[in-house]
Amino acid sequence: MTIAAMELFGLKDRHVLITGAGGGIGRALVATFQAAGARVSGADRDSSLLEGLDLVHRLTFDLTDPTSVTREMGRLDEADAMPEVLISNAGFTRADMLDQVDTAAWDNELAINLTGAFHVATPVVAAMARRGGGAIVFIASVNALAHYGNPAYSAAKAGLIAYAKALAVERGAVGIRANVICPGSVRTPAWDHRFERQPGLAAQVLPHYPLGRLVAADEVARAALFLASPAASGITGAVLPVDAGLTAGNYRFVKDVIEGSA
């Protein structure tokens, strides 16, 4: 990143906490924020997932266990190391449809993707308010905007949008901004493995995306960097799809029905 770009994004020596830092998107977030000059801490459910990452602080907690979240966040607070920027990225889903969702699956998806994010953000927001401001970016999903399967996950991610808007409205007066990114399917190793196992899958998936491809993890990370930076100082409560055009409209319908009948 050039000096001019670093000045624009203004994150030199800012402390950033990224949850889910060991995953495909998480590692891209770590690299992107470090390239912008930030001091990056990471959290994940197992310390082994953070191996190979150069982090200021390493936090290990299970998002479904509020006690472990409170313990680790309290450790940061005691060290006077609460972040100036929070990237709430950790999440999990299964490939479910409505008739596959039972109470246990519903509760687990909401506990990880919504309630867990709340437990992490609450002490961070309190510290930001004491400090006089900060920025939060929640990584949600296009599933929060329209139905693409995975009902419980979708409900949880839609809840993140509502929570971010609540923070934007009720904590804006103390200088806290909260925004949401909604990625479509992201080309991580998990998708690569699926394409390898199912050679015809790419031909089924990619035609739904106007750009003809899945987004890359670093594209999601760069959007998060923008929203977290002073370059987006007037933006709060916003929802930004990073989805190769998926939510812009039904490209498959246009190609198959409109163009096909022309």
Side-chain angles (χ1 to χ4, degrees):
M1 184 173 289
T2 66
I3 294 175
M6 288 185 69
E7 289 176 350
L8 173 65
F9 287 107
L11 290 175
K12 182 173 174 54
D13 296 328
R14 294 283 189 92
H15 185 205
V16 178
L17 174 62
I18 298 169
T19 67
I25 297 174
R27 286 178 177 267
L29 285 163
V30 170
T32 297
F33 277 84
Q34 287 176 336
R39 299 165 51 249
V40 178
S41 294
D44 220 310
R45 68 182 186 278
D46 191 298
S47 59
S48 65
L49 296 171
L50 301 175
E51 288 181 2
L53 294 174
D54 182 16
L55 301 169
V56 179
H57 297 277
R58 296 167 181 268
L59 288 71
T60 303
F61 50 68
D62 182 342
L63 285 171
T64 65
D65 178 9
T67 300
S68 69
V69 176
T70 300
R71 180 191 66 241
E72 292 293 278
M73 298 307 295
R75 186 166 65 86
L76 271 191
D77 203 9
E78 289 170 5
D80 195 26
M82 291 296 269
E84 297 158 273
V85 174
L86 170 64
I87 310 299
S88 183
N89 167 65
F92 168 80
T93 190
R94 307 181 310 173
D96 286 341
M97 296 182 69
L98 272 175
D99 57 6
Q100 298 169 301
V101 177
D102 58 17
T103 299
W106 180 273
D107 289 347
N108 187 59
E109 293 264 0
L110 265 68
I112 294 173
N113 297 296
L114 178 58
T115 308
F118 168 78
H119 286 312
V120 174
T122 297
V124 174
V125 169
M128 287 178 174
R130 292 194 301 269
R131 187 186 297 119
I136 302 170
V137 179
F138 294 96
I139 309 298
S141 169
V142 292
N143 290 63
L145 304 175
H147 187 61
Y148 300 101
N150 305 347
Y153 174 78
S154 302
K157 292 298 191 179
L160 272 185
I161 292 178
Y163 177 47
K165 288 180 179 292
L167 290 174
V169 171
E170 297 192 24
R171 295 294 180 267
V174 292
I176 296 173
R177 296 187 301 109
N179 292 292
V180 184
I181 291 173
C182 289
S185 297
V186 180
R187 190 70 182 259
T188 61
W191 269 105
D192 290 334
H193 295 325
R194 288 188 67 185
F195 288 151
E196 288 172 9
R197 291 195 308 270
Q198 301 171 262
L201 183 61
Q204 293 178 299
V205 172
L206 300 185
H208 293 276
Y209 291 86
L211 292 184
R213 63 175 178 83
L214 305 185
V215 296
D218 63 342
E219 292 176 308
V220 177
R222 290 195 298 269
L225 176 63
F226 165 67
L227 288 175
S229 76
S233 59
I235 301 174
T236 191
V239 180
L240 175 62
V242 182
D243 63 359
L246 180 67
T247 56
N250 192 331
Y251 181 63
R252 191 73 174 262
F253 180 87
V254 172
K255 292 290 289 182
D256 293 351
V257 178
I258 306 301
E259 184 180 280
S261 63

